[in-house]
Amino acid sequence: MKTARVPEPRTAAALAARRRQTESALQRVHKAIARLRREKAQISVAAVARRADVSRTFLYDNPEARTAVASAMAEAGERRSRTLTEQDDEREATWRERALNAEDALKAAHAEILAQRSRIGELHGQIRDLQAEWTEEAIQRITTENTTLKQRVRQLTGDNRTLDERLTAARSNLRFQDRRIADLEAQIADSTKR
């Protein structure tokens, strides 16, 4: 049966010094992680090793150091993922709002154009029906009003075309944002697997 040997005084002193060095290194590692979090810098094994002035091997071999770095990296990844998701949600909301606004404006323009065309048709009918009964100045007034209405229809048609283009652009941007969100979700899924 073996009995535990009592270490010689020099060996005990060396072991105590080694423990102190390890504790000091662990304290530096924790401080480096805290500093990286404050600075909102990317947390990685290499960054922690540089800031704590320890080797990467120490970070991988020491269980406490390895756990601290791994949990800090996971926490930073989650925080980055939440930030990206919030930013994407904000962008998507603005694009959807723009698309909805463009659709509403387009509907209003279509309704206005239909109303103007109907009014023009009524005025043409009145001109034909009452042309013989009206004086020259009444015909001139109606002709002027007709010209004004035709200009308004042209303007509304141009506005309608512009709104159609904006709606098309907004829909295109929304599709791009949807693809971007899908790509970011895939990246997040890949980074969480690692």
Side-chain angles (χ1 to χ4, degrees), residues 55-121:
S55 69
R56 291 183 191 183
T57 306
F58 173 79
L59 294 178
Y60 287 118
D61 287 345
N62 187 289
E64 186 178 340
R66 182 175 55 239
T67 302
V69 171
S71 65
M73 287 171 58
E75 186 178 309
E78 290 173 7
R79 191 170 41 249
R80 193 175 317 114
S81 152
R82 276 194 307 272
T83 302
L84 287 174
T85 301
E86 290 169 1
Q87 290 173 350
D88 288 342
D89 289 345
E90 290 173 9
R91 285 188 202 119
E92 183 178 338
T94 59
W95 284 111
R96 283 195 178 142
E97 184 177 327
R98 287 179 187 172
L100 291 174
N101 289 342
E103 285 178 357
D104 290 342
L106 184 64
K107 287 177 187 175
H110 279 296
E112 180 69 21
I113 288 170
L114 288 175
Q116 292 295 330
R117 285 182 179 165
S118 174
R119 179 76 176 133
I120 290 171

Side-chain angles (χ1 to χ4, degrees), residues 33 36 41-51 56 59-60 69-70 72-73 76 80:
I33 290 172
L36 287 169
Q42 185 172 358
I43 298 176
S44 66
V45 173
V48 172
R50 259 192 319 275
R51 294 278 179 107
R56 291 183 191 183
L59 294 178
Y60 287 118
V69 171
M73 287 171 58
R80 193 175 317 114

